[in-house]
Amino acid sequence: MFTHLKQETFLLLAVLAAVVAYPLEHWMLHSGQPVALGAGLVLIGFIVVASMRVAHHAELLAEKVGDPYGTMILTLAAVLVEVVILAIMMSNEASSTLVRDTIYSAVMLDINGILGLAALMGGLKHGEQSYNDDSARSYSVMILTAMGVSMVVPEFIPEANWKLYSGFTIGAMVVLYALFLRMQVGPHSYFFSYSYPEKRRRKVPEEEPEPVNVALSIGTLVFGVMVIGALAEVMSKTLDLGLEGTGAPPVITAILVAAISAAPEILTALRAALANRMQSVVNIAMGASLSTVILTVPVMEAMALYTGQPFQMAMTPVQTVMIFLTLIVSAINLNDGETNAIEGMTHFVLFATFIMLSLLGL
């Protein structure tokens, strides 16, 4: 027990931060904007370390069950963190575009940031890296469909009919995810896996992996998400106050939320790319993007229907162009079953473009 607590030092620090933050919330909100901004950034740091522990236990569970189930657990854990933070922030009367901007930022970060950087670094080390192109095509077409239905078409829906279309969107996302889940874990799971060739090497006695306590990992994962939710409650208020009137781009909060949930995935994807396991990278990056859309959208739309307050889900023209450009490039790059450094760089340039446009407030 003591050993486990020692391993969870960062999570315990996050718990301590939450315990301290709640009684000090009033003081932080009434001690001036610099204090509020500083407190918000510190809390973001604690949320990140807590999410790293959540991802660690998701990774332990993932290693136990193997691909494609493993990467599904990883992406679901990341999306769960994102949904919890978003739901709490939206309940505190955040910007009506926060959900849209967060989903957009997450897709940019996952496909162009994570996949781009991983393919670039993996390509520089290994040259060409193989994966199952069936998975890439399946992910791409589902992301395009999900984002088109939930974040492009709403631009043309009359305001009087938003509830009807919101209900339709929830149903469409649920059906898409149900089919995706069946394909990923059912008889067609080979779409999302790849058999890597065995390398001939001198046999070296390997240390047996430490047995995974499934119940403990699940319990810690759930507890970690609860801690993140508690921290997000205070963080959202202090950050909103801290950024108020500073001239910071409106999308900065959305980028922070997306980055918090994606932080653990970045490390996992980079490790996989450097180990020449590009299928895991594709599953993480594309799977996270797809899960972000088809899981976040119905939860947030249901929340909008419950409160009677619609969110602005339709993307701006710039966001729409960037999404379609990203998906076109990914469809071309991920069409032959191999990635290389050039393909990684094209995505990373798109990610840099996304950051620049965000800084310009576009």
Side-chain angles (χ1 to χ4, degrees):
M1 184 64 179
F2 178 75
T3 304
H4 179 66
L5 289 175
K6 189 176 180 181
Q7 291 173 341
E8 301 303 331
T9 301
F10 288 123
L11 184 56
L12 292 175
L13 286 174
V15 172
L16 180 62
V19 171
V20 172
Y22 267 87
L24 292 180
E25 180 181 342
H26 184 270
W27 175 80
M28 289 186 290
L29 293 175
H30 293 84
S31 296
Q33 201 169 14
V35 172
L37 180 58
L41 294 175
V42 169
L43 290 173
I44 286 174
F46 282 111
I47 290 173
V48 169
V49 296
S51 70
M52 297 288 280
R53 295 311 300 168
V54 168
H56 170 72
H57 285 281
E59 199 168 344
L60 290 178
L61 295 171
E63 288 175 0
K64 186 171 181 65
V65 299
D67 275 335
Y69 307 94
T71 47
M72 183 182 69
I73 293 173
L74 286 172
T75 55
L76 285 176
V79 172
L80 180 60
V81 169
E82 182 175 286
V83 168
V84 167
I85 295 174
L86 269 179
I88 290 172
M89 293 185 75
M90 293 308 296
S91 67
N92 290 329
E93 299 182 1
S95 167
S96 62
T97 63
L98 179 61
V99 175
R100 177 199 71 189
D101 292 342
T102 300
I103 294 174
Y104 164 68
S105 300
V107 173
M108 290 290 106
L109 184 57
D110 289 331
I111 299 180
N112 291 328
I114 295 178
L115 180 60
L117 185 59
L120 175 60
M121 294 180 65
L124 290 174
K125 181 177 181 180
H126 299 287
E128 293 182 332
Q129 296 182 283
S130 300
Y131 61 92
N132 185 344
D133 55 347
D134 283 334
S135 62
R137 284 195 292 268
S138 299
Y139 282 128
S140 296
V141 72
M142 290 190 75
I143 293 170
L144 179 60
T145 302
M147 294 201 76
V149 168
S150 63
M151 300 180 71
V152 177
V153 175
E155 177 66 28
F156 308 100
I157 302 299
E159 189 175 342
N161 297 329
W162 78 267
K163 289 186 178 180
L164 182 61
Y165 191 77
S166 182
F168 167 77
T169 302
I170 293 172
M173 296 302 107
V174 169
V175 169
L176 271 175
Y177 187 68
L179 178 60
F180 168 67
L181 203 60
R182 186 180 185 281
M183 294 288 286
Q184 195 173 30
V185 302
H188 297 89
S189 61
Y190 62 87
F191 276 19
F192 305 94
S193 59
Y194 181 78
S195 298
Y196 297 96
E198 292 290 333
K199 292 183 179 179
R200 292 184 179 180
R201 59 180 68 180
R202 191 172 57 185
K203 289 186 178 180
V204 179
E206 296 181 358
E207 294 182 8
E208 288 189 10
E210 195 174 319
V212 178
N213 187 326
V214 175
L216 186 61
S217 287
I218 292 175
T220 307
L221 191 153
V222 173
F223 178 70
V225 171
M226 292 170 62
V227 172
I228 289 169
L231 289 168
E233 174 73 27
V234 183
M235 180 273 290
S236 64
K237 297 176 184 177
T238 55
L239 192 63
D240 284 345
L241 178 61
L243 292 175
E244 191 177 303
T246 61
V251 77
I252 191 69
T253 304
I255 294 176
L256 287 173
V257 174
I260 288 170
S261 63
E265 294 175 340
I266 296 172
L267 299 177
T268 305
L270 290 180
R271 283 198 298 266
L274 293 175
N276 202 19
R277 302 186 69 83
M278 185 49 63
Q279 183 62 51
S280 294
V281 176
V282 171
N283 284 348
I284 289 171
M286 302 296 283
S289 293
L290 179 60
S291 298
T292 294
V293 181
I294 60 180
L295 291 180
T296 305
V297 167
V299 173
M300 293 297 109
E301 290 285 10
M303 186 175 172
L305 288 173
Y306 177 75
T307 60
Q309 296 296 321
F311 302 137
Q312 178 63 39
M313 292 300 296
M315 291 187 291
T316 66
V318 171
Q319 290 174 336
T320 303
V321 169
M322 284 298 295
I323 285 292
F324 278 104
L325 188 57
T326 294
L327 293 176
I328 289 171
V329 171
S330 67
I332 295 171
N333 285 343
L334 300 177
N335 193 46
D336 60 355
E338 290 182 334
T339 62
N340 56 54
I342 294 176
E343 293 174 350
M345 180 55 77
T346 59
H347 279 290
F348 201 67
V349 167
L350 286 175
F351 179 68
T353 305
F354 156 69
I355 295 297
M356 176 54 69
L357 291 173
S358 299
L359 293 175
L360 294 174
L362 298 174

